[in-house]
Amino acid sequence: MAAAARFTVVGGGLAGLMTTIKLAEAGHHVDVLSIVPVKRSHSVCAQGGINGAVNTKGEGDHPDIHVKDTLRGGDFLAEQVSVKGMCYAAPGIIYMLDRMGVTFNRTSEGLLDFRRFGGTLHHRTAFAGATTGQQLLYALDEQVRRYESEGKVTKYEYWEWLGTVKDEAGRCIGSVALDLRTMEIRTFPAEAVCLATGGPGIVFGRSTNSIINTGTAAGRAYLEGALYANGEFIQVHPTSIPGEDKLRLMSESVRGEGGRVWVPKKKGDTRSPRDIPDSERWYFLEEKYPKYKNLVPRDVATREIFTVCRDLGMGIGGKDGVYLDVTHIPAPTLDAKIKGVMEIYEKFVGDDPRKTPMVIFPGMHYSMGGLYVTFEADSRTLTPAEGSPKNQSTNIPGLYAAGEADYAFHGANRLGANSLLSCIYSGMIGGPAMAAYAKNNATSAEAKSDKYFADAKKYWDDRFATIKKMAGAENPYQISKELGELMTENCTVVRYNDRLKKTVEKIRELKGRWKDCNVLDTGSVANRSLSFTNQLWNMLELGEVIATSALLRDESRGAHYKPDFSLPEPKSKDPTQDPEWMALWKKRHEKWAKTTIAKHSEEGPKISYEDISTPVLEPEPRWYA
Amino acid sequence: MDTAQASATTKTVTFRIWRQDGPGGEGHYDEFRIPYSKGANVVSCLMEIQRNPVTVQGKKVAPVVWDAACLEEVCGSCAMNINGRVRMACSALIDKLEQPITLEPMRKFPVVRDLAVNRDRMFEALKRVKGWIPVDGTHNLGPGPRQSPKDQATMYVLSTCITCGSCLEACPQVTLDNAFVGAAAISQARLFNMHPTGEMNAEERTRALMGPGGVQDCGKAQNCVKVCPKEIPLVTSIAAMNREVSKVLIKDIFFKEEEKKGHGGPG
Ligand SMILES: Cc1cc2nc3c(=O)[nH]c(=O)nc-3n(C[C@H](O)[C@H](O)[C@H](O)COP(=O)(O)OP(=O)(O)OC[C@H]3O[C@@H](n4cnc5c(N)ncnc54)[C@H](O)[C@@H]3O)c2cc1C
Ligand code: SF4
Ligand code: FES
């Protein structure tokens, strides 16, 4: 390997930019590919904050408690070594962002301020108003621009990654990508490639995600042999504003700053919320969870809201929807801390949430599952070994994954404000891992036969020529909408096997219909329908992985809830005090404390399970009462 | 006829949309009519048209090309001219717009296709003003400098710029092919100059705003601040950077004088 090697990072969200910075800082050259200018990546939407046990509030917080909260929050499916590494790195990451100029909120002494988030009892979340993701993304974007102006980074914005280029040994030696403006297809040789391509929200049609989050890259990598893990674990956020085009998030920070969730005690009460006295309001989360109150983990809050609306018929006006109320908090406080989300509500709903309680309902939000990656544990610290090429590596040598696109850090349920952290941390260890891989990898990609690249380019040229000729009866955007409705109906909060079976069948039908698509646009410039039609296939593949994985996991864990396979309620408040229940829990745990692994085959996803390893923390029942 | 009312009773929404097949080409308008739905915005309507791209005249056409991602006015993608005024399409609610709703691309940026434009010049401007904090590295060096909540509040607002380009679109000084950096980049220079670490390179950023295309090209029309979706105090930022430029200019003159006088003086 030459002193400065060339790498490709796909995606310019937090994960991709951090990976890029790490590589550029070490003197390597990085090509960054992104379907949108990186500054417009979905990370910009994150509102609430980023976790780190900095412990400035005298609460005795510690990275070990952060580890425990995260592993418990994820019902013990998260990869433990990576979680420990992440939580220990978190304070340093927040400081780094601070030095990069992130406009974090401050205490009166000028120190970083921290707020509370779900699934913890500590003030652990650093925040910049209610647009933390935007501020973090901009900070990394600025650092990358600095490297760009020094010639160490080349950005390819409005370029879509289509697939890998592999050598005969199956190693990834580069990529094929499409210029979304000129529609040119070309190859990018690289020592190693990282997919930091974000989550698959749009597979669910309407979600809290940006509409560019189709998951296409992860879907394609899966088709090319990358393993996809824990696909069934989809986080449905308890509080979003239902909308025709998207479900706009009302950040957990709203509850972190004191927001309360309630419904009228009287079913179908038609009074305006302001006319309903406190005694006639049912604060159901506070009642059931006196310790965590409104800040129980997301899967728990979501299920409670679902039960209140769907099972008890107690939603506002008998419909889907509960109040999220901040009217008791002084407006200046709200504006100082969560103005961003207050404005979103005001703009899109038309009511001022400072004066009128907001109406919210759960919405698809985040994928805990993603591309399977490995870590090498440092046996002393039980964190990912520094500079190991195994960290963040998919099963395809030379292909890495980071950020929401990987499966590792959040298990069965992600804690709020842990994702921005995992994105940055995975980039911090992923970049050095790629560099180490290249160093160990004898011949450089540039030196390799042109044939692999020529073949790969030809494959994609042909595929796009074929798609461009598609003149059938189906509109790809319509198929995408139907996929979204199907997934939302059957693969979100409550899951039943008969419906999941039908879902898988229906996805296969949609795949059949895909073949009869009409590409709608024969233009040769910025032909979005052409690229979308190709993406849609990858979305259907991911949908099938998610539904099949959900079908086969016969238990309830974190965000994956199957009433037909749930454990009964324990007889004591602390379940460990109920020996009978503990026996049931243990049996279930032994059977299902496993990572779901999907491998592509012509007949559909092949699912297998890998035992989780628990070097950091022994699993225990998860309860929040 | 009052079209707005007519369509309200039939519950449809009518759009007149600029179509242009590629950069620099000719263009025309296509008219679309779609079912009305409550709470709809311009982007949700464009998505609806995508699912059935047929004009009012019954002609099948290619779906409209436009940029959008977040749909909550934070990614900056979707700026366009809506009924003749530049604004973000995702937060433009149909109920508040007069019909037919005319959509046109921004005119101060080269059109890529239909409503999508090329805003590279804005990112280039950020390079020009060195819009970043030159940190020593990403390793753990402890916390950054302390800042008062008051300074944080000022800087936070400046740092919410979404690079949408509205301020350039509205600015009479910006043309398709001139070099004026525009309000957004000037305001970013102010942001980084305010930061305790960024301040160390303040002069460099200020100098980048001198000369052709710099802050002194501002004609003080003050249109930028009226259209900024994030309500960034752009006029204040421009004034602040103008003052910094003046200070550097005076310093330069002073040093030149000193140099002239200083022959043989203390070294
Ligand atoms: C509304 C909302 C609020 C949130 N708030 C928080 C919060 O407060 N705290 C928290 O911790 N987490 C939060 N999250 C989650 C968090 O924002 C995301 O998980 C995280 O930003 C993902 O970052 P990423 O870098 O993995 O991907 P992204 O930011 O999604 O970036 C993906 C990148 O990949 C590129 N890309 C994708 N496909 C391709 C392709 N085929 N070719 C080329 N480029 C491609 C895109 O252009 C983009 O640059 C929130 C999520 C949502 C939806
Ligand atoms: S300053 Fe305002 S108008 Fe100009 S680019 Fe930024 S957000 Fe848009
Ligand atoms: S789509 Fe992001 S600002 Fe409108």
Side-chain angles (χ1 to χ4, degrees), chain B residues 43 67-78 88-91 162:
Chain B
V43 170
D67 280 326
C70 71
L71 306 197
E72 51 196 44
E73 211 184 66
V74 68
C75 77
S77 301
C78 66
M88 306 313 287
C90 64
S91 58
I162 57 179

Side-chain angles (χ1 to χ4, degrees), chain A residues 18 21-22 25 37 39-40 44-45 47 92 95-96 98-101 103-111 128-131 134-135 138 142-143 145-146 148-149 158 181 208-212 244-246 248-249 344 347-348 428 475 477-478 481 520-521 523 525-529, chain B residues 21 23 37-38 41 44 47 50-53 61-63 65-77 90-91 93 112-113 116 118-120 123 126-127 131-135 137-147 149 152 155-156 159-163 192 195 229:
Chain A
M18 194 65 231
I21 292 170
K22 275 293 181 188
E25 194 174 49
K39 208 180 170 178
R40 311 198 192 286
V44 83
C45 291
Q47 302 171 345
Y95 286 152
M96 171 194 80
D98 183 24
R99 287 192 293 111
M100 286 176 177
T103 56
F104 283 121
N105 279 52
R106 303 274 160 178
T107 65
S108 50
E109 234 184 279
L111 299 174
T131 62
Q134 177 194 37
Q135 299 303 310
Y138 289 3
E142 287 148 18
Q143 297 300 320
R145 188 164 295 107
R146 181 180 166 206
E148 198 187 359
S149 69
Y158 292 107
R181 287 172 173 167
T208 63
N209 286 198
S210 297
I211 54 174
I212 51 174
E244 288 285 319
D245 49 341
K246 120 164 240 194
R248 293 182 176 83
L249 184 76
I344 290 177
K347 255 185 194 142
F348 290 94
M428 283 198 121
N475 177 313
Y477 295 101
Q478 184 59 37
K481 190 178 178 201
L520 305 172
D521 186 351
V525 177
N527 187 334
R528 303 272 170 89
S529 311
Chain B
D21 285 344
S37 74
K38 199 177 168 311
N41 58 61
S44 70
M47 286 161 78
Q50 232 174 14
R51 289 188 280 266
N52 184 25
V61 292
V65 175
W66 84 100
D67 280 326
C70 71
L71 306 197
E72 51 196 44
E73 211 184 66
V74 68
C75 77
S77 301
C90 64
S91 58
L93 302 185
V112 173
R113 188 171 170 186
N118 180 334
R119 278 169 284 196
D120 287 354
F123 297 108
L126 292 176
K127 278 188 209 154
W132 52 76
I133 304 289
V135 294
T138 57
H139 45 296
N140 194 353
L141 291 169
R146 289 193 185 200
Q147 284 163 44
Q152 183 271 342
M155 286 192 281
Y156 174 70
S159 70
T160 58
C161 166
I162 57 179
T163 327
F192 293 103
H195 186 274

Side-chain angles (χ1 to χ4, degrees), chain A residues 263-309:
Chain A
V263 289
K265 277 189 182 158
K266 203 174 91 204
K267 222 173 177 169
D269 198 328
T270 51
R271 286 177 292 175
S272 136
R274 276 183 291 182
D275 298 335
I276 302 177
D278 212 49
S279 60
E280 291 170 43
R281 300 173 174 191
W282 184 28
Y283 295 98
F284 53 94
L285 288 175
E286 297 174 28
E287 187 181 295
K288 188 157 176 193
Y289 303 97
K291 199 158 143 201
Y292 285 81
K293 298 195 172 76
N294 291 291
L295 286 173
V296 283
R298 291 176 175 175
D299 57 322
V300 179
T302 291
R303 272 195 296 279
E304 294 296 344
I305 295 171
F306 236 66
T307 309
V308 163
C309 297

Side-chain angles (χ1 to χ4, degrees), chain A residues 123-193:
Chain A
H123 285 77
R124 186 186 289 151
T125 307
F127 60 103
T131 62
T132 312
Q134 177 194 37
Q135 299 303 310
L136 303 196
L137 183 70
Y138 289 3
L140 298 190
D141 173 60
E142 287 148 18
Q143 297 300 320
V144 168
R145 188 164 295 107
R146 181 180 166 206
Y147 283 122
E148 198 187 359
S149 69
E150 290 169 10
K152 289 179 186 153
V153 169
T154 313
K155 276 192 202 143
Y156 293 86
E157 294 176 325
Y158 292 107
W159 278 79
E160 180 179 329
W161 182 86
L162 298 175
T164 59
V165 180
K166 287 190 205 152
D167 67 8
E168 79 266 309
R171 290 183 300 196
C172 171
I173 54 170
S175 306
V176 186
L178 166 74
D179 182 336
L180 292 167
R181 287 172 173 167
T182 65
M183 308 314 283
E184 172 206 350
I185 289 175
R186 63 160 273 202
T187 54
F188 289 80
E191 304 283 342
V193 175

Side-chain angles (χ1 to χ4, degrees), chain A residues 2 5 17 26 62 212 266 269 322 407 461 538 573:
Chain A
L17 294 181
H62 188 277
I212 51 174
K266 203 174 91 204
D269 198 328
V322 301
Y407 92 104
D461 280 336
N538 300 335
K573 205 168 163 193

